[in-house]
Amino acid sequence: MASATEHAPSTTRQGPKLPVLEREKLILNGRSYHWITERICSVLENRQPMLWWLLFIPSALIAMVGVGLSLTYLVSTGVGVWGMSNRTFWGWDITNFVFWIGIGHAGTLISAVLFLTRQNWRTSINRAAEAMTIFAVMCAGIFPAFHVGRVWMAWFLAPIPNANAIWQNFKSPLLWDVFAVSTYFTISLIFWYLGMVPDLATIRDRCKPGLRKMLYGIFSLGWRGGNRQWSHYEMAYLLLAALSTPLVLSVHSVVSFDFATSVVPGWHTTIFPPYFVAGAIFGGFAMVLTIMVPARQLYGLHDLITMKHIDNMAKIILLTGTIVGYAYLMELFVAYYSGALYEMEAFRIRITGPYWWAYVAMMSCNVLSPQLFWWKACRENLWVVMAVAMCVNVGMWFERFVIIVGTLGRMFLPGDWKTYSPSWVEISLFIGTIGMFLALFLLFLRFLPCINIAEVKWTLLESDPHHDDKHDHPDHGAEAVAAYQHELHSKGAAEAKA
């Protein structure tokens, strides 16, 4: 890597020049506005590659069979078809609910928090991360809705006056979940749609007259790109980003209250809210890498989603993975230091009990595998990045399984101890939600711009009205040093060999 220390300062009549390391380019090979528009629009305007069909058709079939048939059988028979017992009353359903909610967390962080902190590298991945958030929350909502048993009575969760004089228990964290998740979904959906309006107008103007042009015209809300429209758009986007930022902390904190507000050993701890938030960001970024690295290869988006983006996401996974690992160890320390016998026994059973294999999988996938990202060579190897991301996805599911099933299976009374095993309905429903998530994301790639065309263009030098000032007013006291750029370096080496 080129660094400022590797270049000795050159001297001039005015004195020595200080080497200044240039920023890495977020768009490679000097691409123009026109090329960016053509490249992103070609993803949804051209025929989809065969691999898209090979992924979409099985995903759609798995979703229809896994979700459709499983829920039909569940509603017609009863919740008893799940493998739950009187003791383990939360099984795979709530495990999967927390898992999917956590996956959707990275979308808000990338869209809102990184936008407010002016991190320009977010522009190539924020649209896909926001879509991932919407689809993950849709998958998550299935489980608590059908967990109530009589799904047609789920509307009683809303504080709506009714003839039965039934009122919700606002002291219950389960009801807090309803408000937190519904608010999160609503704000994320509006944020996602608002950011697409200029791009939908671009696609509308490129379409031939017909149904496709009419639909894009309706959803682009008459966008013409005028100065007043851009001014209002940027203000609305900024306000939504500020409104969404508290959701990054609140949503998964509220989800953690489902456990932390109880008196169950292993759950009744104040570390759960920050622990769950860090874990959600951790798992969310892993899923962004899981879906965007293949999409980058499939559609040839290497100049838009560069190794700089992948490197930054890998570093965030390393950071949040280290925080999660610290939380795991701190849980063990607090249980030991408290001297509470039930708390100590709960964690001993987690490690050595019947679900010890789940605890080992959680620690290996969530704590050990991200440590590979300390080495730059691992962050630049896409096979290693994908392997670590998949490990994190698996590990975060096992984390929820250990917390929920591993705790409820061994409670206060040994006579109530049960070994939980999921039924075929739970397994098929979870696999069906995976197919549903993939199918929805593939449809998103097919019909909507997967990269924010307008915001990506803002990262080009041409978008800065002062980018030519250095030619008119050069700084004689500085000497620009080329930034390290992985793609350009490898391409130059290949051309040199040729």
Side-chain angles (χ1 to χ4, degrees):
M1 176 176 179
S3 63
T5 59
E6 295 175 0
H7 297 265
S10 60
T11 58
T12 62
R13 293 180 180 178
Q14 289 81 13
K17 286 188 175 182
L18 297 177
V20 178
L21 189 66
E22 292 181 343
R23 286 182 178 270
E24 292 186 62
K25 294 181 175 63
L26 297 176
I27 306 298
L28 300 182
N29 296 320
R31 300 302 186 180
S32 63
Y33 286 168
H34 176 71
W35 184 91
I36 293 174
T37 302
E38 292 290 330
R39 192 63 185 151
I40 298 175
C41 291
S42 67
V43 174
L44 53 99
E45 291 176 345
N46 297 340
R47 294 174 63 90
Q48 293 299 306
M50 181 58 65
L51 182 58
W52 186 92
W53 291 101
L54 294 177
L55 292 173
F56 174 73
I57 294 176
S59 299
L61 291 175
I62 291 173
M64 287 188 291
V65 174
V67 177
L69 293 183
S70 298
L71 293 181
T72 301
Y73 179 70
L74 170 69
V75 172
S76 61
T77 308
V79 185
V81 300
W82 280 342
M84 298 179 294
S85 64
N86 289 335
R87 174 51 57 198
T88 312
F89 44 84
W90 281 358
W92 270 33
D93 54 329
I94 303 300
T95 300
N96 298 334
F97 164 72
V98 181
F99 171 74
W100 283 116
I101 289 293
I103 281 179
H105 225 63
T108 306
L109 178 73
I110 293 173
S111 302
V113 178
L114 297 186
F115 171 75
L116 294 176
T117 54
R118 296 298 187 259
Q119 298 294 314
N120 289 331
W121 63 271
R122 58 172 278 281
T123 56
S124 294
I125 59 173
N126 66 329
R127 178 71 52 75
E130 292 165 8
M132 184 192 74
T133 296
I134 302 299
F135 305 146
V137 175
M138 290 171 62
C139 293
I142 294 174
F143 295 97
F146 285 85
H147 183 269
V148 300
R150 300 175 181 177
V151 66
W152 54 90
M153 305 294 286
W155 64 275
F156 276 112
L157 293 172
I160 301 174
N162 55 82
N164 296 329
I166 297 176
W167 198 251
Q168 293 71 29
N169 180 13
F170 288 99
K171 297 179 180 179
S172 171
L174 300 180
L175 187 63
W176 306 345
D177 266 354
V178 175
F179 294 107
V181 174
S182 59
T183 303
Y184 182 57
F185 179 78
T186 304
I187 297 298
S188 299
L189 183 63
I190 295 173
F191 202 18
W192 180 55
Y193 173 65
L194 180 66
M196 279 195 296
V197 169
D199 295 350
L200 293 176
T202 299
I203 301 170
R204 172 203 64 198
D205 296 339
R206 295 168 59 92
C207 287
K208 297 179 181 178
L211 178 63
R212 187 183 179 96
K213 187 179 184 69
M214 182 186 72
L215 290 176
Y216 283 119
I218 292 173
F219 287 104
S220 61
L221 304 178
W223 179 271
R224 293 298 173 188
N227 182 63
R228 179 176 294 179
Q229 286 183 333
W230 275 113
S231 177
H232 292 166
Y233 167 84
E234 291 178 1
M235 180 56 67
Y237 200 85
L238 179 63
L239 292 175
L240 278 174
L243 185 62
S244 301
T245 299
L247 295 177
V248 176
L249 302 176
S250 66
V251 173
H252 229 58
S253 295
V254 172
V255 172
S256 74
F257 291 159
D258 294 348
F259 313 100
T261 56
S262 69
V263 293
V264 177
W267 288 2
H268 190 64
T269 174
T270 56
I271 201 175
F272 263 30
Y275 164 26
F276 269 55
V277 170
I281 298 171
F282 179 54
F285 270 94
M287 184 58 72
V288 172
L289 282 173
T290 303
I291 59 179
M292 287 310 295
V293 170
R296 175 180 183 262
Q297 299 293 123
L298 182 62
Y299 295 107
L301 302 174
H302 301 78
D303 289 345
L304 297 171
I305 304 173
T306 69
M307 291 304 298
K308 174 68 174 178
H309 299 89
I310 297 174
D311 183 78
N312 285 346
M313 287 189 283
K315 289 177 180 177
I316 292 177
I317 288 176
L318 175 61
L319 172 64
T320 52
T322 305
I323 295 173
V324 168
Y326 169 79
Y328 292 161
L329 298 178
M330 189 54 59
E331 276 189 318
L332 299 177
F333 171 75
V334 169
Y336 166 76
Y337 191 71
S338 67
L341 296 180
Y342 288 113
E343 193 79 11
M344 296 167 64
E345 187 67 12
F347 281 94
R348 186 195 67 80
I349 292 175
R350 277 191 191 180
I351 300 173
T352 63
Y355 302 108
W356 64 268
W357 48 271
Y359 191 85
V360 170
M362 177 190 76
M363 294 294 287
S364 302
C365 294
N366 291 347
V367 180
L368 299 182
S369 66
Q371 304 309 313
L372 293 173
F373 287 153
W374 284 106
W375 290 273
K376 191 174 183 64
C378 293
R379 299 198 302 270
E380 293 177 348
N381 189 317
L382 294 182
W383 291 105
V384 175
V385 170
M386 283 296 293
V388 172
M390 294 302 294
C391 283
V392 171
N393 292 330
V394 173
M396 290 309 295
W397 187 90
F398 273 112
E399 177 197 293
R400 282 63 183 251
F401 180 84
V402 167
I403 291 174
I404 296 168
V405 177
T407 300
L408 293 177
R410 296 291 185 270
M411 288 286 284
F412 294 101
L413 299 178
D416 284 342
W417 289 4
K418 300 290 183 182
T419 300
Y420 169 82
S421 58
S423 67
W424 69 267
V425 179
E426 292 172 286
I427 297 173
S428 62
L429 181 57
F430 178 53
I431 296 175
T433 55
I434 296 175
M436 174 181 166
F437 178 80
L438 293 177
L440 289 173
F441 190 79
L442 290 168
L443 288 175
F444 159 73
L445 294 176
R446 174 64 182 87
F447 293 106
L448 295 173
C450 60
I451 296 177
N452 196 320
I453 301 174
E455 289 195 3
V456 164
K457 292 177 179 178
W458 297 347
T459 64
L460 296 180
L461 290 178
E462 293 87 333
S463 299
D464 183 4
H466 304 291
H467 80 282
D468 288 331
D469 286 358
K470 63 181 180 181
H471 299 293
D472 300 330
H473 306 284
D475 185 359
H476 297 289
E479 179 184 28
V481 178
Y484 172 82
Q485 198 78 53
H486 176 69
E487 289 90 348
L488 296 179
H489 175 74
S490 60
K491 183 179 179 180
E495 292 176 352
K497 290 181 180 179

Short mmCIF file of all heavy atoms in Angstrom, two decimals, residues 286-306:
data_model
loop_
_atom_site.label_atom_id
_atom_site.label_comp_id
_atom_site.label_asym_id
_atom_site.label_seq_id
_atom_site.Cartn_x
_atom_site.Cartn_y
_atom_site.Cartn_z
N ALA A 286 -23.19 -8.50 7.43
CA ALA A 286 -22.83 -9.79 6.84
C ALA A 286 -23.80 -10.18 5.74
O ALA A 286 -23.40 -10.68 4.68
CB ALA A 286 -22.80 -10.87 7.93
N MET A 287 -25.10 -9.91 5.94
CA MET A 287 -26.07 -10.24 4.91
C MET A 287 -25.94 -9.30 3.71
O MET A 287 -26.15 -9.73 2.56
CB MET A 287 -27.49 -10.15 5.49
CG MET A 287 -28.58 -10.57 4.51
SD MET A 287 -28.38 -12.25 3.86
CE MET A 287 -28.82 -13.23 5.29
N VAL A 288 -25.58 -8.03 3.92
CA VAL A 288 -25.34 -7.13 2.80
C VAL A 288 -24.21 -7.67 1.92
O VAL A 288 -24.31 -7.70 0.68
CB VAL A 288 -25.01 -5.71 3.29
CG1 VAL A 288 -24.56 -4.82 2.13
CG2 VAL A 288 -26.21 -5.08 3.98
N LEU A 289 -23.13 -8.12 2.54
CA LEU A 289 -22.04 -8.72 1.76
C LEU A 289 -22.50 -10.00 1.07
O LEU A 289 -22.12 -10.27 -0.07
CB LEU A 289 -20.86 -9.02 2.69
CG LEU A 289 -19.98 -7.83 3.08
CD1 LEU A 289 -18.96 -8.25 4.12
CD2 LEU A 289 -19.27 -7.26 1.86
N THR A 290 -23.32 -10.79 1.75
CA THR A 290 -23.77 -12.06 1.19
C THR A 290 -24.55 -11.87 -0.09
O THR A 290 -24.44 -12.69 -1.02
CB THR A 290 -24.64 -12.81 2.23
OG1 THR A 290 -23.88 -13.00 3.43
CG2 THR A 290 -25.07 -14.16 1.70
N ILE A 291 -25.33 -10.80 -0.18
CA ILE A 291 -26.15 -10.61 -1.38
C ILE A 291 -25.52 -9.67 -2.40
O ILE A 291 -25.78 -9.79 -3.60
CB ILE A 291 -27.56 -10.08 -1.00
CG1 ILE A 291 -27.46 -8.76 -0.25
CG2 ILE A 291 -28.31 -11.11 -0.18
CD1 ILE A 291 -28.80 -8.15 0.13
N MET A 292 -24.66 -8.73 -1.95
CA MET A 292 -24.12 -7.76 -2.89
C MET A 292 -22.87 -8.25 -3.61
O MET A 292 -22.62 -7.87 -4.76
CB MET A 292 -23.81 -6.45 -2.17
CG MET A 292 -25.04 -5.66 -1.78
SD MET A 292 -26.19 -5.42 -3.16
CE MET A 292 -25.22 -4.40 -4.27
N VAL A 293 -22.06 -9.08 -2.97
CA VAL A 293 -20.88 -9.61 -3.66
C VAL A 293 -21.28 -10.46 -4.86
O VAL A 293 -20.75 -10.29 -5.97
CB VAL A 293 -19.97 -10.38 -2.68
CG1 VAL A 293 -18.88 -11.13 -3.43
CG2 VAL A 293 -19.35 -9.41 -1.68
N PRO A 294 -22.25 -11.41 -4.74
CA PRO A 294 -22.70 -12.12 -5.94
C PRO A 294 -23.36 -11.21 -6.98
O PRO A 294 -23.16 -11.41 -8.19
CB PRO A 294 -23.69 -13.15 -5.39
CG PRO A 294 -23.31 -13.32 -3.96
CD PRO A 294 -22.83 -11.99 -3.52
N ALA A 295 -24.16 -10.22 -6.52
CA ALA A 295 -24.79 -9.29 -7.47
C ALA A 295 -23.73 -8.48 -8.22
O ALA A 295 -23.87 -8.20 -9.42
CB ALA A 295 -25.75 -8.36 -6.74
N ARG A 296 -22.67 -8.12 -7.54
CA ARG A 296 -21.55 -7.38 -8.17
C ARG A 296 -20.93 -8.22 -9.28
O ARG A 296 -20.62 -7.71 -10.35
CB ARG A 296 -20.54 -7.05 -7.08
CG ARG A 296 -19.24 -6.39 -7.54
CD ARG A 296 -18.37 -6.15 -6.32
NE ARG A 296 -17.13 -5.46 -6.64
CZ ARG A 296 -15.96 -6.07 -6.81
NH1 ARG A 296 -15.88 -7.39 -6.70
NH2 ARG A 296 -14.88 -5.36 -7.10
N GLN A 297 -20.74 -9.50 -9.03
CA GLN A 297 -20.17 -10.38 -10.04
C GLN A 297 -21.15 -10.65 -11.16
O GLN A 297 -20.78 -10.71 -12.34
CB GLN A 297 -19.74 -11.70 -9.39
CG GLN A 297 -18.68 -11.58 -8.31
CD GLN A 297 -17.34 -11.13 -8.86
OE1 GLN A 297 -16.78 -10.12 -8.44
NE2 GLN A 297 -16.82 -11.87 -9.81
N LEU A 298 -22.42 -10.83 -10.82
CA LEU A 298 -23.43 -11.21 -11.80
C LEU A 298 -23.68 -10.12 -12.83
O LEU A 298 -23.81 -10.41 -14.02
CB LEU A 298 -24.74 -11.56 -11.07
CG LEU A 298 -25.92 -12.02 -11.94
CD1 LEU A 298 -25.58 -13.31 -12.67
CD2 LEU A 298 -27.16 -12.21 -11.07
N TYR A 299 -23.70 -8.87 -12.39
CA TYR A 299 -24.03 -7.76 -13.29
C TYR A 299 -22.82 -6.91 -13.67
O TYR A 299 -22.98 -5.87 -14.31
CB TYR A 299 -25.10 -6.87 -12.65
CG TYR A 299 -26.43 -7.57 -12.47
CD1 TYR A 299 -26.86 -7.96 -11.21
CD2 TYR A 299 -27.24 -7.87 -13.55
CE1 TYR A 299 -28.07 -8.61 -11.02
CE2 TYR A 299 -28.46 -8.51 -13.39
CZ TYR A 299 -28.86 -8.88 -12.13
OH TYR A 299 -30.06 -9.53 -11.96
N GLY A 300 -21.63 -7.30 -13.27
CA GLY A 300 -20.44 -6.56 -13.65
C GLY A 300 -20.39 -5.16 -13.08
O GLY A 300 -20.07 -4.21 -13.81
N LEU A 301 -20.67 -5.02 -11.79
CA LEU A 301 -20.71 -3.70 -11.15
C LEU A 301 -19.42 -3.39 -10.40
O LEU A 301 -19.42 -2.70 -9.38
CB LEU A 301 -21.90 -3.63 -10.18
CG LEU A 301 -23.28 -3.90 -10.79
CD1 LEU A 301 -24.34 -3.95 -9.72
CD2 LEU A 301 -23.62 -2.84 -11.83
N HIS A 302 -18.28 -3.89 -10.91
CA HIS A 302 -17.02 -3.76 -10.19
C HIS A 302 -16.57 -2.31 -10.08
O HIS A 302 -15.90 -1.94 -9.10
CB HIS A 302 -15.93 -4.57 -10.90
CG HIS A 302 -16.26 -6.03 -11.00
ND1 HIS A 302 -17.14 -6.53 -11.94
CD2 HIS A 302 -15.82 -7.10 -10.29
CE1 HIS A 302 -17.24 -7.84 -11.79
NE2 HIS A 302 -16.44 -8.21 -10.80
N ASP A 303 -16.92 -1.47 -11.05
CA ASP A 303 -16.50 -0.07 -10.99
C ASP A 303 -17.37 0.75 -10.05
O ASP A 303 -17.01 1.88 -9.70
CB ASP A 303 -16.54 0.55 -12.39
CG ASP A 303 -15.43 0.02 -13.28
OD1 ASP A 303 -14.49 -0.60 -12.74
OD2 ASP A 303 -15.51 0.21 -14.51
N LEU A 304 -18.52 0.22 -9.66
CA LEU A 304 -19.43 0.94 -8.76
C LEU A 304 -19.35 0.41 -7.33
O LEU A 304 -19.40 1.19 -6.38
CB LEU A 304 -20.87 0.83 -9.28
CG LEU A 304 -21.12 1.48 -10.66
CD1 LEU A 304 -22.50 1.12 -11.17
CD2 LEU A 304 -20.97 2.98 -10.57
N ILE A 305 -19.28 -0.90 -7.19
CA ILE A 305 -19.08 -1.52 -5.87
C ILE A 305 -17.65 -2.03 -5.85
O ILE A 305 -17.34 -3.11 -6.34
CB ILE A 305 -20.08 -2.66 -5.64
CG1 ILE A 305 -21.52 -2.16 -5.80
CG2 ILE A 305 -19.90 -3.26 -4.24
CD1 ILE A 305 -22.56 -3.26 -5.74
N THR A 306 -16.76 -1.23 -5.32
CA THR A 306 -15.33 -1.52 -5.40
C THR A 306 -14.87 -2.28 -4.17
O THR A 306 -15.63 -2.51 -3.22
CB THR A 306 -14.54 -0.21 -5.54
OG1 THR A 306 -14.64 0.52 -4.29
CG2 THR A 306 -15.12 0.66 -6.65
#
